[in-house]
Amino acid sequence: MTNLTRHGDGSRAVPTRDGMAMLGYGTWKLADRETCVDAITTAIETGYRHLDTARMYDNETYVGEAIADADVDREEVFLATKIWPDDLAYGDAIDAAYDSLENLDTDYLDLLYVHWPAKAYDPAETLEAFDRLVEEGVTERIGVSNFTPELLADACDRTTAPIFANQFECHPLLPRRRWREACADHGVHPVAYAPIARQEVFEESTIVEIAETHDVSPAQVSLAWLRQRDVTAIPKAASADHIRENWESLSLELEEAELAAIDGIETRSRKVDPSFAPWN
């Protein structure tokens, strides 16, 4: 179910899906303490209530510090982290999740992801561990990341707790229609990382023309397209200006013809493609 809530200055209505704000703040590459804490503080003050991190980002401690120092209750923040493939064996996954709780200085996670279905990932063993983590109250929801439609279907068949989200690269240059359809089929929320294709959408003529029509940035167009296609976005931004600019995308509503034009972009560009990815 999609609801609207207001945070920050109250001027932006934030769509939420089952408690998860559809515009979140990603913390990839924010490994410097001061930069990370300052950026998250700005994000929370701006109105963001969905924060996304991962153990491999090496910043969980800083994320937890920023949340603890923020002028909002922990219950207002939807906090997600991920377990790296090296730690996905049953016992390792349990230990890693408890380590994340300690690092983040929190009693629970809102969402815990399998970061990649690779290396130590074993569908039966890993997902059994994630089910146990829900039972023990470590996390309220479990998710997967970078799971192909086939791997997603398999994961959904194996867990007792429902798979809440599948996080993967998604933007106008990599729209992932089949992945989004698979999420819809299984009642899973799609979450997009790299939602502006690491700034490559700035060079796409269709995006630029639509941005000029609305007097907004190409980044805002990309984020609005994702939201209106029922995809949650977690853009990463370090500067206060970009954090606020992304937030303002919530005020942009694209026309159906504009959405269709973006759907019709033929350029394809994948920004994240490690050798262990399931499609390689």
Side-chain angles (χ1 to χ4, degrees), residues 11 20 27 38 53 75 87 95 102 122 143 151-152 159 171 174 183 193 195 221 227 240 262:
S11 63
M20 177 179 67
T27 64
D38 286 351
T53 185
E75 291 73 20
D87 295 322
D95 290 343
E102 183 175 354
D122 174 86
L151 288 170
L152 177 64
T159 59
H171 46 73
L174 192 69
C183 285
Y193 67 75
V221 171
R227 186 187 73 249
I262 296 171

Side-chain angles (χ1 to χ4, degrees), residues 84 116-119 270 272-280:
W84 190 245
W116 288 87
K119 300 182 180 180
R270 188 195 302 274
V272 180
D273 194 21
S275 60
F276 55 76
W279 51 83
N280 287 329

Side-chain angles (χ1 to χ4, degrees), residues 3 8 12 67 82 86 121 186 191 210 216 227 266 277 279:
N3 295 309
R12 303 289 184 271
I67 294 171
K82 313 174 197 73
D86 290 341
Y121 176 70
H186 293 285
V191 177
I210 293 171
V216 298
R227 186 187 73 249
E266 295 183 355
W279 51 83

